[in-house]
Every structure is written in C-alpha cells, then in structure tokens.
Amino acid sequence: MAAAPMIQIVDLFKSFGAHEVLSGISLEVPAGSTLVILGGSGSGKTVLMKHMIGLLKPDSGRVIVEGEDLVPLGAEGLERMRRKFGMVFQAAALFDSMTVYENVSFPLREHRKELTEEQIRALVKEKLGIVGLKNVEEKYPADLSGGMRKRVGLARAIVLDPKIVLYDEPTTGLDPITTDYVDEMILDAKKELGVTSVVISHDIASAFKVADNIAFLYQGHIVEQGPPAELRRSEHPAVKLFLSTWFGKN
C-alpha cells in the first residue's frame, strides 16, 4: 500500500501583478519520501516551496499538510503547522557570530523554553551526532568546511524533530566533492529520521541521486513528475533539453 501523502498541493495558482508564476500546480509527497522539484531559474520553484510552509498565500488552490489545509489558517495556526517543518537554506544561513552550539540550540531557546541548559546541550549533541559531527560545538561557522556548515544547518533544522525537511538549492555553488557530501546528508536524514523531504534544485545529478520522485517545473506548470527513471524517458521538449545538459555528457 502506498504511503499516505504528507503534503498535497491541489490546483495552486499564484500571480505577482500580471505575471502568473504558478499555473494550476498539483502534486503529492508521500510520508517518508523525498521529492525533488527540478527546474531552471525563474521557473517558480522557490515560490512553490514558500506556499508549502505558508509564507505565501495562493490566489487559489489548497496546500494540505497531514490532512490540514494551510491556506485558510491565521497566524496562530500557521505557527503551529510550521513546527512540522525544518528548513535547510541555500548557504546554510548560520549566524556567523554564534558558535555551532549556539546556532543549533537557537530554535530550542525560541520554542522549547521549558528545557534546562543540560537538556538543550544533550539535544544539540544528539542532532550533531545524527548528521555525523562530533566535538564541533565551540567552533564558529568560519572554522568549518562548506559540507560541515551544511550539516550544522541540517542539525539546526531537525533539532525540533520536524516531520518535513525543506532544502532550498542545497548544492548550489558547491564543488563536486562537497555536493556528494550534501547528497549523502539528505539520504542519511531520510534513513535515520524517516522525515519527508522536499528539495528545490536545478542540479540534475544530485536530483537523480536523492529523489524518490521528481516534479519538473516549467513556466509555472509541472510538465512531468514521477520516479527519476521515468523522468529520463520523458518526451516533453523542455524536460529533454534540460536533462540533455547532464545526460548528454555522461
């Protein structure tokens, strides 16, 4: 039996002025799976992700997370729903003036004020261990490699035990070795935590490595979606052209 959807997007439309960015998007993300939303720059990927977490309201359509529609919720309801999410930003978005410990513990201090310092330290150590980091709590972001910063960003994203982790262009600007490191991080998070993952990307090689399913976004429409092997067989001209930039060389 197929896993129940953790996220459902139903007939989603969004325009900014006269420019329609999303044009009737519908997709499902089964619980525990990894969806990669693939597409070129300006295709609407980030706008779609912002709808998933309730940062944008659609012109019409539904965004359903664990059976509850985010669209009609007010500030209090959205705050409650956002606790289901962790976010890994493009450049990790760590606070440069804070140590690793201070960065990872930041969400706990904001949302789990009942915890003691001892409990916070134990949770930070646990999450850093899950992402494969030890004895880095007192280091600053500047002391870390690009891959280590990404892992600290993931540790911060999972410290509140979210059900869903969103990755915004996680491999952009990284060298091939660090990109492989980040891909393994995404796969490990799924295996170790059982989280549902949504990855926004234009990195074809990374997408085909981490995805259970890929949705290809082009001019505001999902023109192809399915497992990676199915996407590779697509006859849609935009998909074929996009994939040829990688598979044409490999």
Side-chain angles (χ1 to χ4, degrees), residues 17-77:
H19 179 49
E20 189 171 71
V21 179
L22 302 178
S23 307
I25 299 293
S26 293
L27 58 82
E28 293 188 353
V29 189
S33 72
T34 298
L35 171 73
V36 175
I37 300 172
L38 194 63
S41 298
S43 58
K45 303 186 301 294
T46 298
V47 172
L48 178 55
M49 177 176 275
K50 287 181 177 179
H51 280 84
M52 289 184 183
I53 201 168
L55 292 175
L56 288 174
K57 293 277 190 183
D59 299 329
S60 63
R62 305 171 72 197
V63 180
I64 302 165
V65 177
E66 279 201 308
E68 184 173 3
D69 191 354
L70 270 64
V71 175
L73 296 179
E76 187 175 318

Side-chain angles (χ1 to χ4, degrees), residues 123-218:
L123 283 169
V124 170
K125 184 176 181 179
E126 174 194 336
K127 301 309 183 188
L128 287 171
I130 286 173
V131 301
L133 294 175
K134 294 182 179 180
N135 303 317
V136 297
E137 286 89 336
E138 301 311 313
K139 293 182 180 294
Y140 286 87
D143 302 325
L144 306 175
S145 67
M148 291 175 74
R149 285 195 294 272
K150 291 283 188 179
R151 286 185 178 260
V152 173
L154 177 57
R156 184 176 63 185
I158 64 174
V159 76
L160 292 172
D161 295 320
K163 296 185 177 182
I164 304 161
V165 178
L166 306 180
Y167 298 86
D168 183 16
E169 298 280 8
T171 60
T172 294
L174 299 180
D175 62 81
I177 292 174
T178 306
T179 294
D180 283 343
Y181 198 62
V182 172
D183 290 342
E184 291 299 328
M185 176 187 84
I186 295 170
L187 292 168
D188 288 347
K190 175 187 171 184
K191 180 180 176 182
E192 297 294 326
L193 302 170
V195 295
T196 303
S197 303
V198 178
V199 183
I200 298 292
S201 184
H202 62 261
D203 184 331
I204 298 167
S206 178
F208 272 69
K209 183 174 180 180
V210 304
D212 295 305
N213 289 289
I214 297 174
F216 190 88
L217 194 56
Y218 176 70

Side-chain angles (χ1 to χ4, degrees), residues 17 19 32 59 75 89 118 120 151 153 157 184 209 211 233 240 246:
H19 179 49
D59 299 329
F89 297 94
E118 184 179 356
I120 289 174
R151 286 185 178 260
E184 291 299 328
K209 183 174 180 180
R233 295 193 296 268
K240 290 179 71 174
W246 171 257

Side-chain angles (χ1 to χ4, degrees), residues 18 26 68 79 90-91 102 109-110 128 210 224 232:
S26 293
E68 184 173 3
E79 183 179 352
Q90 186 174 131
E102 291 167 335
R109 298 187 192 284
E110 289 290 305
L128 287 171
V210 304
E224 198 75 76
R232 190 169 180 179

